[in-house]
Amino acid sequence: MQMAPGKADWPHTLADAISAEIVPWPSSGIGVCYTFPGQDKQSNPIGTEDRDTLARLERAGKLTYLDDDTRRRYETMKLRLFG
């Protein structure tokens, strides 16, 4: 189970995510804020471990973007990071 930072009893895995928003992230440029059942949220910089979850949510129409600039930056990053 992937734990949320600072939450030893975090009950969710990325497979549980029901939606996500792509957001700016200070250290890496792009991050993601996942929403889980019960409206729990987890945010982190985007990494390779997010690929399958983001692809699933995008296919389901459950991936949103903070703004058009963030969307463009994510699309560029997606090609580079996920191939």
Side-chain angles (χ1 to χ4, degrees), residues 8-50:
D9 61 342
W10 184 252
H12 304 293
T13 66
L14 289 180
D16 299 327
I18 57 174
S19 66
E21 181 177 30
I22 305 300
V23 297
W25 198 265
S27 62
S28 65
I30 298 291
V32 58
C33 179
Y34 291 108
T35 301
F36 297 91
Q39 299 304 306
D40 291 336
K41 296 193 182 284
Q42 171 189 333
S43 297
N44 54 268
I46 294 176
T48 55
E49 68 278 0
D50 296 294

